[in-house]
Amino acid sequence: MPKIIYSFLILFLCISCNSETSDSKPTPVLTETIYFPPVTGTSWETKSIASLGWKQAAVQPLLDYLELKHSKGFIILVNGRIVLENYFNGHSASTNWYWASAGKTLTSTVTGIAQQENLININNKVSQYIGTGWTSETLAQENLITCKNLLTMTSGIEDIANGDAISPASLQYKADAGTRWAYHNVYVKLQDVIAQASGQTWTNYFNAKLRDKIGMDGAWFQSGNNSVYGSTTRSMARFGLLMCNKGKWKNDVILNETYFNEATTTSQNINLGYGYLWWLNGKSTYHLPQSQATFPGSIIPTAPSDMFMALGKNDQKIYVVPSKNMVVIRMGDAADNVNLALSDFDSVLWQKINALYQ
């Protein structure tokens, strides 16, 4: 009898195990949807360090470093939600600050919008939209310059002798368009192209097609020869969030994904770390402003390799990390010495950010 009972017990256990195995299902992996703050108002969902599994002990060293390095505004978004938002040195959430060359990416984005509205084609020559004689080059040389050359910093215009000046006399021939990469303020002619093609002022077109659609504040202003954008830190974060979502705001396509992909990948074979006025991390080589040298390796080795960036004078930063659905914003004075775009600050800052989750 004990043997019979034992046999039934073994059979029961086997049936139970088989039943449990066949009925059980893998625990579903819940993917958090990306959040977009309302276009109006100041509400913005937050997410705690603890809920992300990040290290609270790494927060204060990061904030101390930011304050030490003359920062004014700093935000980290993950899936669109604010994880950190801090202000320093007399700055506040309602204070405007200049984007400097980080604002070039706004011009890049609106150029893509104008193209998807069939107002322009970036492969067309600039003179098709603003007329000939906008440079001091010969007609044949000038007609080589396309809108895409302005987006990719390959206009061939002399980049050092005349500084940021963009009068025809100051836009002098250095090389054929497309054969040389050089960082230059001539990109701003894209704003004239869009104004002419749209029949609106640059500001009105920008506000209607980009700023107002994602709830940004701020305005353009002239600083010498430069067209500069100024806004709150949160408005810079809104733009970063738009680009983190490949040009879509919720279900509204602001910028089509084809152009977005072109803008945030290598745009020419000279500076691999440059797209359409966006800087690209993780490439094998890169160039820097005011230099024809080729530097090996990633622009910011301590940062994620898939990151693309808007970098402005005196360390204005938009970092977008697609693999982490993360946007990082920094506004402020120069961390160390005055610089055009990149500084040692980037590398150390990313060591501090990495410490949050590594």
Side-chain angles (χ1 to χ4, degrees):
M1 181 67 71
K3 289 183 178 180
I4 295 173
I5 294 173
Y6 182 75
S7 298
F8 274 114
L9 180 60
I10 295 295
L11 180 61
F12 174 76
L13 289 174
C14 290
I15 292 171
S16 297
C17 288
N18 289 338
S19 175
E20 182 179 343
T21 301
S22 61
D23 291 342
S24 65
K25 296 178 182 179
T27 302
V29 177
L30 299 177
T31 302
E32 185 179 50
T33 57
I34 192 165
Y35 164 81
F36 296 88
V39 171
T40 59
T42 59
S43 62
W44 197 316
E45 287 187 12
T46 61
K47 195 165 182 66
S48 69
I49 292 287
S51 69
L52 287 168
W54 289 9
K55 301 171 185 174
Q56 186 65 46
V59 172
Q60 197 57 50
L62 168 62
L63 300 183
D64 290 344
Y65 180 71
L66 287 162
E67 185 166 21
L68 176 68
K69 292 299 183 178
H70 317 298
S71 302
K72 291 187 176 292
F74 182 77
I75 292 176
I76 294 180
L77 306 179
V78 174
N79 283 328
R81 294 166 180 85
I82 294 174
V83 178
L84 288 177
E85 180 178 21
N86 301 89
Y87 299 97
F88 315 88
N89 301 307
H91 206 71
S92 73
S94 60
T95 311
N96 285 341
W97 193 251
Y98 65 91
W99 291 36
S101 285
K104 286 181 170 65
T105 56
L106 295 172
T107 299
S108 169
T109 300
V110 175
T111 300
I113 293 170
Q115 177 168 265
Q116 73 195 29
E117 292 192 333
N118 296 316
L119 296 176
I120 66 168
N121 184 318
I122 63 170
N123 294 307
N124 290 344
K125 58 189 178 183
V126 176
S127 59
Q128 179 172 327
Y129 302 101
I130 62 174
T132 58
W134 64 275
T135 72
S136 64
E137 298 184 338
T138 67
L139 184 60
Q141 292 167 343
E142 184 180 279
N143 280 338
L144 293 176
I145 305 174
T146 65
C147 296
K148 188 173 181 178
N149 291 134
L150 299 187
L151 286 169
T152 60
M153 294 292 181
T154 57
S155 66
I157 296 288
E158 162 61 44
D159 57 305
I160 302 295
N162 300 306
D164 289 332
I166 53 172
S167 65
S170 300
L171 298 179
Q172 299 169 353
Y173 177 86
K174 183 76 173 183
D176 281 356
T179 65
R180 181 176 185 268
W181 187 91
Y183 196 77
H184 193 276
N185 194 41
V186 69
Y187 88 94
V188 79
K189 288 293 180 181
L190 286 167
Q191 297 182 4
D192 296 337
V193 166
I194 292 166
Q196 288 294 323
S198 67
Q200 303 179 43
T201 65
W202 160 253
T203 294
N204 287 347
Y205 189 81
F206 168 83
N207 290 349
K209 301 300 180 179
L210 179 56
R211 188 193 73 168
D212 298 346
K213 286 193 173 184
I214 65 173
M216 290 174 63
D217 56 34
W220 292 93
F221 62 94
Q222 285 298 125
S223 177
N225 294 301
N226 298 297
S227 179
V228 181
Y229 198 70
S231 78
T232 59
T233 311
R234 279 194 173 193
S235 281
M236 189 181 254
R238 282 177 179 268
F239 177 63
L241 177 57
L242 173 73
M243 300 310 287
C244 191
N245 201 42
K246 300 182 178 181
K248 289 191 294 185
W249 191 264
K250 294 186 180 178
N251 296 317
D252 188 9
V253 176
I254 308 297
L255 177 71
N256 70 62
E257 195 168 334
T258 298
Y259 183 92
F260 165 84
N261 289 333
E262 291 176 8
T264 55
T265 54
T266 300
S267 59
Q268 27 63 51
N269 59 11
I270 307 168
N271 183 357
L272 303 185
Y274 209 70
Y276 291 173
L277 305 178
W278 285 95
W279 293 91
L280 314 174
N281 209 39
K283 304 305 176 183
S284 58
T285 62
Y286 64 93
H287 283 231
L288 289 176
Q290 296 187 340
S291 172
Q292 289 298 299
T294 300
F295 297 92
S298 185
I299 296 176
I300 307 176
T302 57
S305 60
D306 67 323
M307 184 171 78
F308 57 94
M309 307 161 280
L311 305 176
K313 183 178 180 179
N314 298 334
D315 298 305
Q316 320 310 320
K317 315 286 186 184
I318 304 174
Y319 305 107
V320 182
V321 186
S323 60
K324 297 182 181 299
N325 283 335
M326 184 163 71
V327 175
V328 180
I329 305 297
R330 189 271 184 185
M331 285 180 155
D333 290 320
D336 294 300
N337 297 319
V338 173
N339 60 81
L340 288 178
L342 191 72
S343 71
D344 291 340
F345 171 72
D346 295 80
S347 182
V348 177
L349 177 60
W350 271 98
Q351 290 175 2
K352 303 287 186 184
I353 294 171
N354 289 338
L356 293 169
Y357 51 78
Q358 287 184 353

